[in-house]
Amino acid sequence: MASEEEKHIPKLSDIFDRAWKIQLDLESSDEATNSDNYQLNVKKAIKLFEECTQMVSEVSLFSDNEELEEVTTTSLKYLLLPAFLGDLCLKVTGGSVTRLAQVQKAKIYFQDFLKRCKSYGITEEEIPNDPPQSDPSAPPGRPNLVAMTANRETKLKRFREKKELEEKLRSLGKISDINSKDEDVQRDFFTTFLKKQINEVIDDYPSLQQEVEMLQVMEKMKEHNKKPGSRHRPPPQGAANNSSRPPMKPFILTRDALQAQVFGAGYPSIPTMTLDEFYEKEKREGKIPKDTGPKNPVSERAVVEQKEVEKEREIDMDDEAALKKAREFDDWKDENKRGSGNRQNMG
């Protein structure tokens, strides 16, 4: 006859069912995942599932050298423990434990779940492993189109299997009522549920690995920013006065004061200035260093431009000789089109 103390010890199946109900409620909840109540239930379910895991380990419920047929029907559902714990780890937010630690913990649970299921022959899927660390400086290789096509086909096959498994589970009954079904129905239900969970874990594993890599990069950046001299760098010289600088206004550059008057009359809303005025303005604002050494000889282009300016000034001042010369040159250009003297006997 059992003692009074033994009667009050919670049974493994009761603890598991309580934790599973909490997990199902979390999945269907409309509550914010970072709310206090949601996180409280997540931690409560984790604690109960961890207690179940400890009890399963103490009694050595599973063995590597036994077949699935040797596992009792009531024990089949405990193979789901690592999968449920991994799923709950991903739901944890806030607290002292970082997201990176939670994702890495979930990956360990999922790998343990897949290894256990494969050892019992429930699946033939390969256990996903972490990819080797690649050299970020190495050039990207060409995509393996054959592997990409095979991967796509595998995903489509797994998706179809998942739909079939979900339909079969619906036909077998609800989770809350499964314990009252016949043993054959229970065994079929939990075996089907294990296969569905395997597909979900394998589908989600690549995204978990990508998240781990991204979080590791972020952690390295944080560590780098903590080093002395990596943060609060002084702004570039003159950057502190950027906010006090007046906004830049458009203007028209001209070669001389006469052109400035013409353009200013045509576009009174836009200021004008000569090249000399613009140069002096830039020097005053410190954008052009002051001349400290001997001046460079005048360039050929500057000489030509100066001659053009003088010609325009002579014309503007009604110099009769300059006007006559300019008119004769214009008449000559009208009679001798450009390129007419070099036709190479082409007619």
Side-chain angles (χ1 to χ4, degrees):
M1 186 174 180
S3 64
E4 289 296 324
E5 185 178 350
E6 290 176 340
K7 289 181 181 179
H8 292 288
I9 296 176
K11 294 198 304 181
L12 173 61
S13 59
D14 293 338
I15 300 173
F16 183 90
D17 292 343
R18 279 171 53 201
W20 198 359
K21 185 179 184 308
I22 295 173
Q23 186 188 27
L24 293 173
D25 291 340
L26 288 170
E27 291 177 356
S28 60
S29 175
D30 295 330
E31 218 173 345
T33 57
N34 61 347
S35 65
D36 293 340
N37 186 59
Y38 190 94
Q39 288 299 311
L40 182 64
N41 286 323
V42 169
K43 292 173 182 176
K44 188 185 297 183
I46 290 176
K47 184 177 180 182
L48 291 172
F49 278 136
E50 286 177 344
E51 188 176 349
C52 291
T53 302
Q54 185 176 356
M55 295 172 72
V56 168
S57 179
E58 287 176 353
V59 297
S60 301
L61 200 59
F62 302 112
S63 174
D64 292 334
N65 56 5
E66 65 179 353
E67 302 294 331
L68 184 64
E69 291 75 16
E70 299 178 60
V71 180
T72 62
T73 301
T74 54
S75 300
L76 275 176
K77 59 184 177 182
Y78 303 128
L79 287 170
L80 291 163
L81 280 170
F84 287 168
L85 281 168
D87 181 66
L88 287 167
C89 282
L90 297 176
K91 288 180 167 62
V92 176
T93 61
S96 58
V97 182
T98 63
R99 174 66 180 176
L100 177 59
Q102 291 294 346
V103 177
Q104 289 176 327
K105 193 175 181 181
K107 283 177 58 183
I108 294 172
Y109 278 130
F110 289 148
Q111 284 188 339
D112 180 59
F113 168 69
L114 293 174
K115 288 176 182 177
R116 180 68 68 182
C117 289
K118 189 169 185 177
S119 69
Y120 276 106
I122 304 173
T123 181
E124 296 298 327
E125 293 280 357
E126 292 296 326
I127 311 300
N129 295 317
D130 295 344
Q133 293 291 332
S134 59
D135 184 5
S137 61
R142 297 180 64 183
N144 189 335
L145 298 180
V146 176
M148 291 172 64
T149 303
N151 186 40
R152 181 176 177 274
E153 292 296 329
T154 303
K155 286 185 176 181
L156 289 173
K157 179 183 176 183
R158 197 178 296 126
F159 177 78
R160 289 191 291 267
E161 288 178 354
K162 181 182 176 182
K163 292 298 180 183
E164 293 173 0
L165 292 170
E166 288 176 348
E167 184 62 31
K168 185 176 181 180
L169 287 172
R170 280 192 290 268
S171 65
L172 291 172
K174 296 181 179 179
I175 296 176
S176 56
D177 302 330
I178 199 64
N179 289 332
S180 60
K181 303 284 184 178
D182 294 338
E183 182 179 350
D184 292 342
V185 177
Q186 289 187 41
R187 191 171 191 86
D188 195 10
F189 178 89
F190 287 116
T191 304
T192 304
F193 198 96
L194 281 164
K195 291 179 180 178
K196 182 181 82 73
Q197 202 70 24
I198 289 168
N199 279 346
E200 291 180 358
V201 169
I202 292 176
D203 281 341
D204 294 342
Y205 199 90
S207 61
L208 287 181
Q209 179 57 32
Q210 290 177 358
E211 185 177 359
V212 167
E213 293 173 359
M214 180 186 68
L215 292 171
Q216 287 174 338
V217 171
M218 293 173 65
E219 288 289 329
K220 289 179 181 178
M221 291 174 63
K222 288 180 181 178
E223 292 296 325
H224 175 72
N225 290 335
K226 289 179 182 178
K227 295 179 181 178
S230 62
R231 300 182 66 182
H232 305 296
R233 294 178 179 175
Q237 187 175 2
N241 299 325
N242 284 343
S243 59
S244 61
R245 289 181 180 176
M248 292 185 65
K249 297 180 180 180
F251 57 88
I252 296 176
L253 277 176
T254 64
R255 286 190 294 186
D256 53 25
L258 184 62
Q259 283 189 349
Q261 292 176 5
V262 173
F263 281 109
Y267 306 93
S269 60
I270 302 179
T272 60
M273 64 178 70
T274 65
L275 287 171
D276 292 337
E277 289 172 345
F278 177 73
Y279 180 75
E280 292 298 328
K281 173 180 171 292
E282 295 292 293
K283 281 206 303 183
R284 286 196 304 271
E285 294 179 359
K287 297 178 183 178
I288 298 178
K290 296 182 179 180
D291 297 333
T292 56
K295 294 185 177 180
N296 294 328
V298 180
S299 65
E300 182 179 352
R301 182 178 177 182
V303 172
V304 174
E305 289 184 354
Q306 183 62 28
K307 288 182 178 180
E308 290 292 331
V309 171
E310 291 175 358
K311 287 181 182 179
E312 291 180 6
R313 284 179 178 172
E314 290 174 354
I315 294 171
D316 292 336
M317 293 175 65
D318 295 333
D319 188 311
E320 292 184 3
L323 285 171
K324 182 180 179 182
K325 187 176 180 180
R327 290 194 189 104
E328 290 176 353
F329 183 65
D330 290 339
D331 293 339
W332 182 86
K333 286 195 294 183
D334 292 339
E335 295 173 358
N336 299 272
K337 300 299 182 182
R338 186 171 184 176
S340 61
N342 186 21
R343 302 181 63 84
Q344 298 182 357
N345 300 323
M346 295 176 64

